[in-house]
Amino acid sequence: MKSTNLYKGSLTTIILKLLNEHDKMYGYQITQKVKAITKNDLQLTEGALYPALHKLEAQGLLHVEVSKVGNRVRKYYRLTEEGTKETVKKLAELESYIRNMRALVNPKFRDE
């Protein structure tokens, strides 16, 4: 990831948002979607993505489906009901963070 310190706290929200929009995805697909959306500015590494996915699964926010594709086993990640609720919460938190940062960085754009 570029500027890892800035993005590190948003990784969970990024994953949840993508899964909310795309129903189910596998890890590589998530990395490529982030890369495409950000026009290569943000590149998730496997070392950052998979621990985050495993943590979300352990928290009960993701369900994993295993599928065999050719000779490979592919894990698809899907939001649980609790994961959908958490997505709404995380997106609201992120919106608030962005609004506050915008106000701090450029006060003339402060929302009243």
Side-chain angles (χ1 to χ4, degrees), residues 10-24:
S10 302
L11 182 56
T12 295
T13 306
I14 292 166
I15 293 168
L16 294 174
K17 173 72 168 140
L18 286 174
L19 290 173
N20 191 54
E21 290 177 347
H22 298 280
D23 187 39
K24 68 179 182 177

Side-chain angles (χ1 to χ4, degrees), residues 1-85:
M1 274 199 235
K2 265 188 174 179
S3 305
T4 41
N5 289 336
L6 290 174
Y7 291 111
K8 193 179 284 185
S10 302
L11 182 56
T12 295
T13 306
I14 292 166
I15 293 168
L16 294 174
K17 173 72 168 140
L18 286 174
L19 290 173
N20 191 54
E21 290 177 347
H22 298 280
D23 187 39
K24 68 179 182 177
M25 299 176 83
Y26 55 94
Y28 180 75
Q29 192 177 22
I30 293 170
T31 64
Q32 295 308 297
K33 191 67 171 173
V34 168
K35 193 173 168 183
I37 290 170
T38 65
K39 298 183 176 140
N40 294 326
D41 196 38
L42 177 58
Q43 296 182 24
L44 298 180
T45 64
E46 288 182 15
L49 178 63
Y50 287 102
L53 287 169
H54 296 159
K55 183 178 177 184
L56 291 169
E57 181 187 3
Q59 293 171 337
L61 302 177
L62 298 184
H63 172 72
V64 178
E65 296 173 19
V66 178
S67 242
K68 192 161 184 175
V69 180
N71 293 354
R72 302 181 68 188
V73 173
R74 184 174 286 167
K75 287 185 177 183
Y76 286 93
Y77 298 89
R78 177 188 305 255
L79 292 177
T80 61
E81 186 176 329
E82 197 59 40
T84 301
K85 291 176 188 173

